[in-house]
Amino acid sequence: MSHTSLPPLPSSDRVDVAARLRDALLGASFTADGMLDLLGAPAYTALARSETVPALRATRGDTPLETLVRLFLLQQPVPHARVADVLPVEDCLESGWLTRVGGAEVTATVDVRPYGGPGGEDWFIVSDLGCAVGGAGGIGSREEGVVLGVGGASTTLAGITVREPVAAALDLGTGSGIQALHAAQHATRVTATDLNPRALHITALTLALSGAPAADLREGSLFEPVADDETYDLIVSNPPFVISPGARLTYRDGGMGGDDLCRTLVQQSGDRLNEGGYAQFLANWQHVEGEDWQDRLRSWVPRGCDAWIVQREVQDITQYAELWLRDAGDHRSDPAEYQARYDAWLDEFEARKVKAVGFGWISLRRTAAAEPSITVEEWPHPVEQPLGDTVRAHFARIDFLRASDDAALLAGHFRLTAEVVQEQVGLPGAEDPEHVVLRQNRGMRRATKVDTVGAGFAGVCDGTLSAGRILDAIAQLVGEDPVLLRDRTPGQIRLLVEQGFLEPAG
């Protein structure tokens, strides 16, 4: 793969220079918090929309932090003498982080974006010039092989990933290395792969500049770089999931027809997971005429894996085509060329009978259970990130429910999970509510309607009494036969546990 038009990258062998550069960046407060303080919220959030003018206005002074923001984030040339006061400038020139322009000025060869880690760490994400601002929307017409910085998709995946100490993690399609960086905090060994050798080079820079351990970097597509007998406790991938005609842009287009890349990735991951290990992906999938999209996704799940698949968004084919044509800057091209490209997208969808495209999260867990659990749902509502603990708790509840028949549920003790509130919905002045809603204020932020018995049961659950004893007391209060109530309520308890409103106590 040739990337001759892309500029040379800094040396990834000079870890000593990366360490000195890191110290200098931290010393000048070139961090996520420092940038927010300097720019202010409006200018800071404008960067995510690819708008740099407010940030340029906020960095017109000559403090060290203003100098670094202009140099590494806004791609502005800066006087050599000014940079020499802030950075080990000769080391940075020699190892390729900076280059001379116009005699007395220097400019950066890559973007460097401060990024706050989950434990308050100060990290730096390296990407190609123009790629740190605006994520996937910022640089107009792109070069083949360009490596993007942090976007909404990468932070979403980082947020939903289960974080627990593991021996081995695999970041498949690493890009700028953000998932590998997160994994390095809780995995003894991190392997990062990418089809694009430039991405592997940039991942090495991201890890070194963030003070993280080096990863095992391997070039290749999907699981090709991984030996047949290599398995992992965690696999993560934010793959090039865009469903497009052809494969113009490595960072987003998978190069397989339709949603085949995502399907292949999911199907092949099962054999690469250790018992109890997780594989977590972002993906797009086709909504095909005459086919249930949930059945389509169920067919992707590999044998021996539990799955939780959440569709977060659906776009019709025109919205989807426009989104990704804009992403590539095609809307700024010649109108006839734009129309031809738009036509090509719609031709492709028509040929495949695709009426819409879904986007969401796929989480797998390797299980020895005889009957794995597959949950496929639509949840377009706001959630509270990070959700890694929510994902782990979902699979723990699946284990509990799989091992508990109705008699075990009635003998069990339950607690209402944290920050669940009860709402009564009805007409003003009415004596009784029309219905009662339980609502989570954390995690998935689900809401579910319950009947009087369900509301009363949930309200009393504090782990003290068994479910059966609580139902007997409710039966006495409402004048119902306790045997009948015990008979018809386990299904409701099961649902409340499955959705995370109740949890086993002890």
Side-chain angles (χ1 to χ4, degrees):
M1 191 185 296
S2 169
H3 308 305
T4 49
S5 52
L6 291 168
L9 293 169
S11 167
S12 58
D13 299 330
R14 295 296 304 275
V15 180
D16 57 325
V17 176
R20 284 198 290 280
L21 177 54
R22 172 178 172 77
D23 288 343
L25 298 178
L26 293 175
S29 296
F30 185 63
T31 62
D33 289 342
M35 254 178 50
L36 181 57
D37 289 343
L38 170 69
L39 301 179
Y44 188 78
T45 51
L47 290 175
R49 302 190 300 271
S50 315
E51 297 293 349
T52 56
V53 172
L56 285 165
R57 290 171 63 86
T59 54
R60 288 183 290 199
D62 62 356
T63 66
L65 180 53
E66 286 168 300
T67 299
L68 293 175
V69 172
R70 290 177 76 82
L71 186 65
F72 283 119
L73 210 56
L74 302 175
Q75 296 90 47
Q76 300 298 302
V78 176
H80 180 284
R82 183 75 207 93
V83 178
D85 291 339
V86 187
L87 299 177
V89 67
E90 297 309 320
D91 283 345
C92 289
L93 284 164
E94 184 200 338
S95 59
W97 288 94
L98 302 175
T99 187
R100 291 183 188 274
V101 287
E105 291 185 313
V106 297
T107 188
T109 58
V110 287
D111 281 0
V112 176
R113 176 83 185 235
Y115 178 82
E121 302 92 349
D122 288 313
W123 292 339
F124 300 99
I125 310 299
V126 180
S127 57
D128 270 314
L129 287 172
C131 294
V133 170
I139 56 174
S141 187
R142 302 222 170 128
E143 297 283 355
E144 169 69 6
V146 75
V147 179
L148 295 187
V150 181
S154 46
T155 54
T156 295
L157 178 60
I160 67 169
T161 301
V162 174
R163 303 290 173 199
E164 56 189 15
V166 294
L170 172 65
D171 174 15
L172 197 150
T174 187
S176 61
I178 181 174
Q179 309 305 331
L181 184 52
H182 275 279
Q185 307 309 299
H186 61 102
T188 306
R189 179 171 57 86
V190 176
T191 302
T193 71
D194 206 290
L195 183 62
N196 181 1
R198 191 174 180 87
L200 296 175
H201 190 129
I202 282 179
T203 290
L205 297 175
T206 290
L207 294 172
L209 198 56
S210 298
D216 177 2
L217 303 174
R218 305 184 193 177
E219 184 182 336
S221 177
L222 295 174
F223 288 99
E224 281 170 13
V226 178
D228 289 345
D229 59 349
E230 281 184 279
T231 54
Y232 298 88
D233 307 298
L234 174 66
I235 298 171
V236 290
S237 184
N238 175 18
F241 53 63
V242 177
I243 299 168
S244 61
R248 286 168 59 207
L249 301 169
T250 311
Y251 74 88
R252 68 162 211 199
D253 299 327
M256 293 188 186
D259 52 17
D260 282 357
L261 181 124
C262 290
R263 176 184 57 77
T264 303
L265 179 59
V266 173
Q267 287 180 338
Q268 291 182 356
S269 61
D271 291 338
R272 306 294 183 172
L273 280 177
N274 293 325
E275 188 68 35
Y278 293 92
Q280 296 185 266
F281 314 103
L282 298 188
N284 275 179
W285 42 79
Q286 297 172 152
H287 285 231
V288 179
E289 223 171 282
E291 184 181 304
D292 184 304
W293 67 270
Q294 294 184 322
D295 288 345
R296 181 182 192 84
L297 287 171
R298 282 190 190 93
S299 75
W300 290 11
V301 177
R303 277 189 312 232
C305 287
D306 291 326
W308 183 21
I309 301 174
V310 182
Q311 179 166 275
R312 296 288 291 153
E313 191 181 349
V314 185
Q315 291 184 314
D316 69 47
I317 55 174
T318 59
Q319 291 174 308
Y320 188 80
E322 288 160 20
L323 169 70
W324 293 108
L325 287 166
R326 279 197 307 274
D327 167 81
D330 291 331
H331 60 305
R332 300 189 195 100
S333 65
D334 170 61
E337 190 180 335
Y338 174 78
Q339 186 175 339
R341 284 203 164 133
Y342 199 153
D343 258 335
W345 282 68
L346 296 186
D347 284 345
E348 176 89 358
F349 285 134
E350 266 179 40
R352 293 177 175 276
K353 298 187 174 175
V354 175
K355 54 186 181 176
V357 177
F359 166 81
W361 319 323
I362 298 177
S363 294
L364 307 177
R365 187 193 55 167
R366 187 84 191 167
T367 180
E371 287 186 38
S373 158
I374 300 177
T375 303
V376 184
E377 62 175 323
E378 187 159 20
W379 191 254
H381 313 293
V383 297
E384 183 189 54
Q385 284 274 34
L387 282 164
D389 285 344
T390 301
V391 173
R392 179 169 45 197
H394 167 87
F395 288 108
R397 291 193 302 269
I398 292 299
D399 281 344
F400 170 80
L401 290 171
R402 198 158 36 204
S404 305
D405 60 14
D406 287 358
L409 283 183
L410 292 172
H413 293 239
F414 298 92
R415 262 194 310 264
L416 205 58
T417 48
E419 295 193 39
V420 171
V421 296
Q422 178 179 305
E423 298 171 0
Q424 297 192 342
V425 182
L427 292 170
E431 192 174 323
D432 294 314
E434 283 176 39
H435 57 260
V436 176
V437 172
L438 297 180
R439 187 178 299 279
Q440 300 167 352
N441 284 324
R442 293 177 63 185
M444 293 294 285
R445 294 187 170 174
R446 295 187 190 279
T448 188
K449 268 200 274 191
V450 288
D451 60 17
T452 314
V453 170
F457 180 84
V460 178
C461 278
D462 61 2
T464 312
L465 297 173
S466 70
R469 291 277 300 281
I470 294 172
L471 289 177
D472 291 345
I474 290 173
Q476 201 170 354
L477 278 173
V478 298
E480 268 209 56
D481 181 337
V483 176
L484 290 177
L485 194 60
R486 276 173 171 256
D487 225 29
R488 68 177 173 85
T489 309
Q492 198 171 2
I493 297 173
R494 199 171 283 277
L495 191 65
L496 289 174
V497 171
E498 188 180 328
Q499 294 190 338
F501 292 95
L502 294 177
E503 61 189 7

